[in-house]
């Protein structure tokens, strides 16, 4: 073992891997924090492998103390932040980028964010991720109900991980798993733990998010989640398309109604466009799997997200094709819910519940489509799931905010 | 002097001790922060002594940067957090534990808490202490009054100490004093300083909290304080009893009314129990001293709190015998006030005031009762104070929240 | 180059200086944070110079992690805080002090401040600066409008700088420039960057604040700024005077109305005085320059602020001659606005706007008047600008809060 490998190295025989080395970067229970840290496949003497995993503590402005973990490989480079709910910052590789250019540049430490500010949209002051977990206590637009302010998109994305572990499989292809524990705990109110996982096989063009939410309380508790996954240039451009197999689509509000005819087609950066949101009921294959993708104009770049409709039955498409400086971006957002305030979601019967001790899993696979062939394969799969089913395109929003 | 003793060591001839060594761990005025730090009686070459005092900086999740000071001795082990208002986390020894098991496990850094969240009960996201100071600007349940949100139980418990000093008496029995300065300061609004003290003679089965609150402003200012002292297993159990000499008890609300008959007896962990709160007017001895205790079923374990009714004229008993996972716990809460919102306490004339420059002291002695003899002695003392006075057990809450 | 000079030293040929050494203390973009750091003119081998520049990281209480930069010279000693919006803490020299004694003593880290607390005046919990930037999204007294709480005096003063650079000119007189970048950014809501500058020629009795605010968004955005500059003893005393050339003065509210006759004269520390605020329309010279000053009773100490009425057309005088312990202080506050809530400022047409990409500059020169001659020169300049113009002294507040 090289000296590089300081810290807790455990030979773990985990249920999901025959054998793996485990590196504990953060552990609140034992008061562990590695800070700046790195391993490389070379240092680990892994044959025919070529990757590194690094944790870096950031400095300056509102990102003081924020941490970023970056996996670098011949395939993808994946960056996520333990300080911000294990959210994905950006993914690059295979000629493609997942991510976007938000006006917010720093990886903002939640210590500097008041989620209640601006009437419940303080969340926007840290929003620049490629994927944010919007949950798990609630999700969606903010609303005041019985004096309580349900802030935009919940709190998981602004929760620093209580435990962070990295597993590297000892056998080729050396699957890497980054695990993070998010605690949403408040005496009397909530006792949620979410073990987040990012699973990546170095060199491949896809990765999986595999999260397990558990209600540790002795009482049932509502939960909601939207996996807010955001894509900008170079995939998003004038003429880019959104594709997904679906039963029905409805506009989120009166403004989105105006965009129904062209809802699957993207404009270039457009002043005063602001945002349109579309609520989708996805179709799935016989296993319950569905997927959605954004494809560039030429059809040779794209990104797809596969998700399980048993876990995440609904899909939101967020079309934010405003100017580049405002944050030109689209969101593919599989979820248990639409983005309406929790009060509306509850009224309309979409809020789910976990029984005492019950766990539930959310699994999503993101694929970076780097050439025309990969794009076509994805299009075919979507067509196959759609089959002969003619989707309903409704013009009437199902709710009024 | 050993090398272990880094930092400011001052031979102080203090008013309360003939001679003591003083260790400054934190001092905002001089920008001192020792971080991880330790002394031992061995290192100090104190004859026939056996204790250590350690400060540790915690890591991970929402406890990043929180500090804990732990006194370890042949008698008690006492842990408190300078980051959280010098509050006591837990005390163990003499076969007994003071403390409980909250769903909140981390020693949450106030940087991660928004006291205004959840309509003013953000405090619950950090609540797991054995003793929290609920004050000093206000205490009690949250209320909005003239646009201002008086958040649950005030702010002292989420105030990081501006100064932390440890005194060790040079003469046997080497009394240890941990002092912490809490500042509640806001231009125009408040200028409170509280010097908190924990006094402990190593090896003994009791310790004293001795706090001095001063109004540094040139205007009189209201204050309120509840010493929210929390006990779970093993003392609390089905058949455990609450004992105290008292003039009168009233239920806090309609729900507590249902529990009046059995108010001094505890159930085991009970699903859907939630909490009942009882307002008590304590009786005192000729010096004004009163005490309250929780005793286990067998009568061989318990904990008592002695307090001065001139300082803390009221007593709240909080019966939170819900399930273990929800936080099975009872509170003995001597205070200037009951736990009603400050608006109600003010209406009913219970809010106290400090004149410009005026100080007031709160002194409480916690004793861990480790055997039947200690328990009996406490029962006798309570009976003695009660004497022939028959308490009034009222069924009507004195206020409606 | 001495070893003392660790870190990024860049030979920069900047637009505003022929040649300067640049030291980067903080840089979020490149995750740089120097922490404790110092340079001296001796170490830099600058002939005939005598100054040092130091950054110190503070500890204890709510100032844990706050940074202070101090320029020490034969002339002035200037302290500012990058953690608190590059605001000036205090300036001493030339027999004079700019600054005051707030009940708040710590340099509070914004991580510990909730600006929304106390119904929008959480800002007061950190207020002790000699000069706070009150802006730039909004300024003035708090107000709730359409559910959003516009907190007291905006957020710039509680924004940690994302970049901090120090430039030292290579040629005598070795002008020092401390630059700091403040980001007010929120997806969809605001994209402001302000490059703040403090310019000081070592040994001189004056310094300049030169701030450039840029709207990086693709949409126009309102802005407001008040340079809240605060002076206490020894300049402020019974018999001290406020002088400025002006067209018109009005009381801020009914209470200030009672003080109109004596509005330019200061009382000594006065119990129950609280504060009076006066709105002033300043007069300027042909270049648009105006100035205001506070002069002591003897007329041999004072401080003046020169500002550009094209940039900052309005002036607020804040008379807070309450007791010493409450914070005996007066404010000279050049601004785009008065201190009314943004709703009133907007109604009355005083809120300014920046077009997409547009920048605007605010430049103010503070002079410490150390003797009767300097005071007289300032009085003469003010008289000269006033000329024959008779100011209107109105008794009616222009708005009702």
């Amino acid at each position: 073992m090289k000296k590089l490998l300081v810290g807790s190295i455990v030979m773990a025989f985990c249920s999901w891997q025959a054998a793996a080395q485990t590196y504990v970067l953060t552990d609140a229970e034992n008061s562990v924090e590695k800070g700046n840290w790195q391993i490389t496949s070379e240092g680990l003497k892994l044959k025919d492998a070529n990757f590194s995993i690094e944790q870096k503590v950031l400095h300056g402005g509102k990102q003081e103390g924020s941490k970023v973990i970056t996996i670098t490989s011949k395939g993808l480079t994946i960056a996520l932040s333990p300080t911000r709910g294990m959210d994905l910052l950006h993914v690059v590789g295979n000629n493609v980028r997942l991510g976007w250019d938000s006006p917010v540049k720093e990886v903002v430490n939640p210590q500097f964010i008041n989620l209640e500010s601006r009437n419940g949209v303080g969340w926007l002051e840290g929003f620049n991720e490629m994927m944010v977990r919007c949950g798990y206590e609630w999700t969606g637009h903010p609303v005041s109900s019985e004096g309580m302010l349900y802030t935009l998109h919940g709190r998981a994305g602004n929760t620093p991980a209580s435990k962070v572990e990295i597993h590297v499989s000892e056998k080729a292809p050396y699957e890497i798993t980054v695990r993070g524990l998010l605690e949403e705990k408040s005496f009397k109110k909530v006792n949620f733990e979410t073990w987040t996982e990012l699973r990546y096989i170095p060199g491949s063009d896809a990765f999986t998010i595999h999260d397990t939410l558990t209600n540790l309380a002795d009482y049932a508790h509502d939960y909601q989640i939207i996996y807010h996954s955001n894509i900008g240039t170079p995939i998003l451009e004038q003429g880019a398309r959104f594709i997904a197999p679906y039963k029905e689509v409805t506009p989120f509000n009166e403004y989105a109604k105006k965009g129904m005819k062209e809802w699957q087609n993207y404009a270039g950066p457009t002043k005063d466009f602001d945002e349109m949101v579309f609520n989708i009921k996805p179709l799935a294959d016989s296993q319950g799997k569905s997927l959605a993708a954004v494809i560039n104009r030429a059809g040779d770049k794209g990104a797809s997200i596969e998700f399980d409709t048993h876990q995440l039955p609904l899909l939101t498409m967020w079309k934010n094709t405003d100017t580049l400086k405002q944050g030109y971006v689209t969101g593919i957002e599989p979820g248990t819910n639409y983005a309406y305030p929790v009060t509306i979601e509850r009224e309309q019967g979409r809020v789910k519940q976990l029984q005492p001790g019950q766990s539930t899993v959310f699994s999503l696979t993101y694929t970076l489509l780097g050439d025309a062939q990969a794009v076509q394969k994805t299009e075919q799969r979507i067509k196959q799931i759609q089959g002969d089913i003619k989707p309903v395109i409704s013009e009437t929003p199902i709710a009024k905010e």
Side-chain angles (χ1 to χ4, degrees), chain A:
Chain A
M1 201 62 70
K2 283 211 168 176
K3 276 195 180 168
L4 192 66
L5 307 178
V6 293
S8 308
I9 299 175
V10 181
M11 294 300 294
F13 293 85
C14 310
S15 59
W16 68 94
Q17 279 178 315
Q21 281 182 317
T22 299
Y23 305 87
V24 176
L25 301 197
T26 301
D27 180 359
E29 209 174 338
N30 297 297
S31 197
V32 171
E33 177 48 59
K34 291 286 175 236
N36 290 322
W37 173 93
Q38 197 188 21
I39 55 171
T40 63
S41 53
E42 205 189 341
L44 295 173
K45 298 192 178 171
L46 302 181
K47 273 187 197 166
D48 304 323
N50 194 336
F51 66 84
S52 66
I53 310 172
E54 183 182 14
Q55 177 168 274
K56 204 176 161 181
V57 182
L58 301 186
H59 297 290
K62 293 181 186 164
Q63 72 181 12
E64 188 63 41
S66 289
K67 295 176 290 177
V68 173
I69 295 174
T70 305
I71 300 172
T72 307
S73 80
K74 276 208 167 170
L76 307 180
T77 294
I78 303 173
L80 60 84
S81 177
T83 312
R84 294 187 59 76
M86 302 300 290
D87 289 343
L88 301 179
L89 300 177
H90 43 78
V91 180
V92 179
N94 210 13
N95 299 317
V96 175
R97 170 181 79 148
L98 291 195
W100 59 298
D101 300 307
S102 169
V104 176
K105 301 300 178 197
E106 300 179 350
V107 180
V108 181
N109 194 321
Q111 292 171 340
F112 288 107
I113 287 184
N114 180 346
L115 294 172
E116 303 212 335
S117 69
R118 300 178 190 275
N119 203 18
V121 300
W123 185 91
L124 296 172
E125 297 183 21
F127 178 44
N128 57 13
E129 293 98 333
M130 184 253 126
M131 188 279 282
V132 198
R133 289 170 178 90
C134 299
Y136 290 91
E137 265 199 275
W138 66 83
T139 192
H141 288 194
V143 64
S144 262
S145 176
E146 294 175 24
M148 175 165 163
L149 181 51
Y150 293 82
T151 60
L152 177 64
H153 287 328
R155 301 166 84 185
N158 284 274
T159 300
S162 293
K163 296 190 190 182
V164 180
E165 301 173 356
I166 291 173
H167 304 269
V168 178
S169 172
E170 293 209 306
K171 293 197 180 159
Y174 310 112
E175 186 177 24
I176 297 165
T177 306
V178 182
R179 305 183 79 218
L181 178 64
L182 305 183
E183 299 192 353
E184 292 178 83
K185 298 191 172 185
S186 177
F187 181 64
K188 295 237 183 244
K189 301 295 178 186
V190 61
N191 194 347
F192 277 176
E193 281 192 358
T194 305
W195 268 108
T196 70
E197 286 187 19
L198 168 80
R199 297 174 181 180
Y200 180 59
I201 294 171
S204 69
D205 58 2
F207 59 90
T208 294
I209 295 294
H210 184 93
D211 296 346
T212 307
L213 167 67
T214 303
N215 174 19
L216 292 175
D218 273 333
Y219 298 99
H221 201 291
D222 287 351
Y223 74 94
Q224 294 185 284
I225 180 68
I226 288 176
Y227 284 86
H228 203 305
S229 310
N230 311 302
I231 297 166
T233 59
I235 298 172
L236 186 64
E237 61 182 341
Q238 192 276 318
R241 291 173 299 125
F242 172 86
I243 54 173
Y246 68 103
K247 270 196 285 275
E248 187 179 350
V249 63
T250 52
F252 185 80
N253 55 20
E254 289 301 313
Y255 180 57
K257 204 169 152 175
K258 298 174 193 166
M260 283 313 294
K261 275 183 191 162
E262 287 292 318
W263 83 274
Q264 289 190 273
N265 300 319
Y266 292 103
T270 306
K271 187 101 190 268
D272 293 320
F273 186 90
D274 197 10
E275 62 177 28
M276 288 186 182
V277 175
F278 304 96
N279 303 330
I280 302 159
K281 289 188 188 164
L283 286 169
D285 66 16
S286 60
Q287 316 292 308
K289 294 285 172 94
S290 186
L291 81 167
V294 177
I295 308 297
N296 74 344
R297 184 175 51 226
D300 58 4
K301 274 189 211 313
S304 70
I305 306 176
E306 190 188 68
F307 57 98
D308 188 323
T309 54
H310 299 130
Q311 303 163 354
L312 303 166
L314 303 173
L315 180 61
T316 293
M317 193 272 253
W318 173 52
K319 198 186 237 186
N320 193 78
T321 50
D322 209 291
T323 70
L324 288 167
K325 282 185 188 166
Q326 296 301 116
Y328 179 67
V329 60
T330 186
I332 304 181
E333 309 179 14
T336 54
N337 287 84
Y338 293 132
Y340 295 112
V342 61
T343 45
I344 290 176
E345 292 294 305
R346 191 171 285 128
E347 265 170 40
Q348 300 195 352
R350 286 187 293 271
V351 175
K352 294 194 170 193
Q353 200 170 66
L354 277 176
Q355 296 307 307
Q358 195 187 352
S359 290
T360 188
V361 167
F362 311 104
S363 190
L364 305 95
T365 296
Y366 294 72
T367 306
L368 284 76
L369 312 169
D371 55 31
Q373 204 187 339
V375 168
Q376 281 156 28
K377 216 174 126 189
T378 301
E379 295 221 58
Q380 277 159 21
R381 174 126 190 262
I382 287 169
K383 273 184 193 156
Q384 209 171 13
I385 297 175
Q386 187 74 50
D388 297 333
I389 298 166
K390 217 188 148 185
V392 177
I393 298 173
S394 167
E395 296 263 327
T396 311
I398 59 170
K400 220 172 168 177
E401 255 192 297

